Amino acid sequence: MKRRKLLCMLVAAVMLLSLAACGKGEDETKDPNLLKVGDYELLYKGASIMKDREGNDALGLV
């Protein structure tokens, strides 16, 4: 029983350390509303649902 608890604690510690290793890199922007797509940047201020050319619903970013 003690071995099982020790094993569970060890597995939990390994999982915690693996999550801690997933830090932010230097490439990420500081503003969460600034989206980068290829060579373009978009500053997200809001969104609305509108119709596209074919009359289907589309999400428009403002």
Side-chain angles (χ1 to χ4, degrees):
M1 191 62 147
K2 287 184 180 182
R3 282 188 163 190
R4 187 173 181 182
K5 285 184 181 181
L6 181 63
L7 180 63
C8 288
M9 293 295 284
L10 182 63
V11 169
V14 168
M15 290 172 57
L16 181 64
L17 291 175
S18 68
L19 288 176
C22 297
K24 290 186 178 181
E26 294 177 15
D27 295 348
E28 295 190 25
T29 60
K30 299 198 186 242
D31 187 5
N33 293 331
L34 185 62
L35 306 172
K36 290 185 178 181
V37 180
D39 295 336
Y40 302 99
E41 291 183 353
L42 173 72
L43 182 60
Y44 173 77
K45 293 186 177 181
S48 63
I49 297 176
M50 55 182 57
K51 300 288 183 185
D52 64 3
R53 291 182 182 177
E54 298 172 356
N56 300 319
D57 288 337
L59 180 64
L61 300 176
V62 182

